[in-house]
Amino acid sequence: MTQQIFTVHDLRKTYGHGQNAFEALKGVSFTIDRGESIAILGKSGSGKSTLMHVLALLDAPTSGKLSLDGVDTTSLRGKNLNAVRNKTFGFVFQQFFLTPNATVLENVTLPLKIAGVSASERRRRGMEALRQLELDDKAKNKAVNLSGGQKQRVVIARALVNNPSIIFADEPTGNLDSATGAVVEDILFDLNAQNGITLIVVTHDEELAARCDRQLRIRDGLLVDETLEVAA
Ligand SMILES: Nc1ncnc2c1ncn2[C@@H]1O[C@H](COP(=O)(O)OP(=O)(O)O)[C@@H](O)[C@H]1O
Ligand SMILES: [Mg+2]
């Protein structure tokens, strides 16, 4: 185990080709330590989601170096890539991505099903994650019948079911009212503080960003150096 969970050097991401090419990341470099909470902060279109998708191995960078736990991720392909992603990361997205007519428990245990975990073990770990989010009484309900806040807690339970070392949250409170959003935020920061899960939150919410240990500010595909900002 290395102290640095991510080492990122001169990372670039270009969408499209030729005349339609758009460079969404123009060379970003930073490190993230195990157990940190990090906000990726910036205006809409600045490249936040692109950076998160590259870090989470959902999208390959066009160039640059990305190491996860000391391993160069550019060498990972196919099955190995999926296995690392499934084992290491939990995802909490704004749009929930729940299957509406499946039960809460089925939604939560989907990553385990993908990983080939047996039905009884899926049930055991799914119920444990639901208990952690105080949703075990909703296990048999259809996801479609839940409130927004309950849905986001189901998403967090699903993110936890694989025991991830890193949780990625993209605008996790974007679809929630402020009271419900605050509850979801507290849950994420508790997981960071108590379980040592590295938390990487994409947000344009300055207050949420301020709760994180560190802020990576991005503008037009580049990190803004805050020390320069202050000096300017
Ligand atoms: N698949 C894509 N194809 C082309 N351009 C894209 C694609 N995804 C994002 N972009 C562009 O890249 C820039 C950064 O997008 P994104 O990372 O989603 O920003 P943010 O999350 O900060 O709003 C935007 O200008 C966006 O239009
Ligand atoms: Mg985005």
Side-chain angles (χ1 to χ4, degrees), residues 14-22:
T14 302
Y15 292 112
H17 298 277
Q19 286 221 308
N20 293 322
F22 180 83

Side-chain angles (χ1 to χ4, degrees), residues 136-150:
D136 41 322
D137 59 325
K138 300 274 188 251
K140 289 180 177 159
N141 289 43
K142 284 191 176 178
V144 68
N145 295 328
L146 302 177
S147 70
Q150 287 170 336

Side-chain angles (χ1 to χ4, degrees), residues 124-136:
R124 192 186 67 73
R125 285 165 60 181
M127 288 308 295
E128 187 184 303
L130 284 173
R131 266 194 297 279
Q132 223 179 322
L133 277 299
E134 295 175 16
L135 276 171
D136 41 322

Side-chain angles (χ1 to χ4, degrees), residues 81-91 111-112 114-116 162 164:
L81 184 62
N82 287 336
V84 166
R85 201 164 43 215
N86 206 14
K87 188 170 60 114
T88 317
F89 304 144
F91 294 100
L112 299 177
I114 293 168
N162 268 338

Side-chain angles (χ1 to χ4, degrees), residues 138-218:
K138 300 274 188 251
K140 289 180 177 159
N141 289 43
K142 284 191 176 178
V144 68
N145 295 328
L146 302 177
S147 70
Q150 287 170 336
K151 281 181 189 160
Q152 198 58 306
R153 276 153 59 208
V154 172
V155 171
I156 296 173
R158 183 180 57 191
L160 283 179
V161 83
N162 268 338
N163 250 324
S165 45
I166 303 167
I167 287 184
F168 288 101
D170 194 351
E171 304 281 5
T173 59
N175 277 339
L176 304 174
D177 64 73
S178 53
T180 313
V183 171
V184 167
E185 266 183 36
D186 288 347
I187 293 169
L188 290 173
F189 283 104
D190 280 352
L191 290 169
N192 170 248
Q194 286 163 26
N195 301 21
I197 296 176
T198 305
L199 180 63
I200 302 180
V201 191
V202 167
T203 186
H204 58 259
D205 178 343
E206 290 278 352
E207 275 179 50
L208 171 54
R211 286 186 70 176
C212 294
D213 295 330
R214 217 145 50 84
Q215 294 77 30
L216 295 175
R217 252 169 231 276
I218 185 163

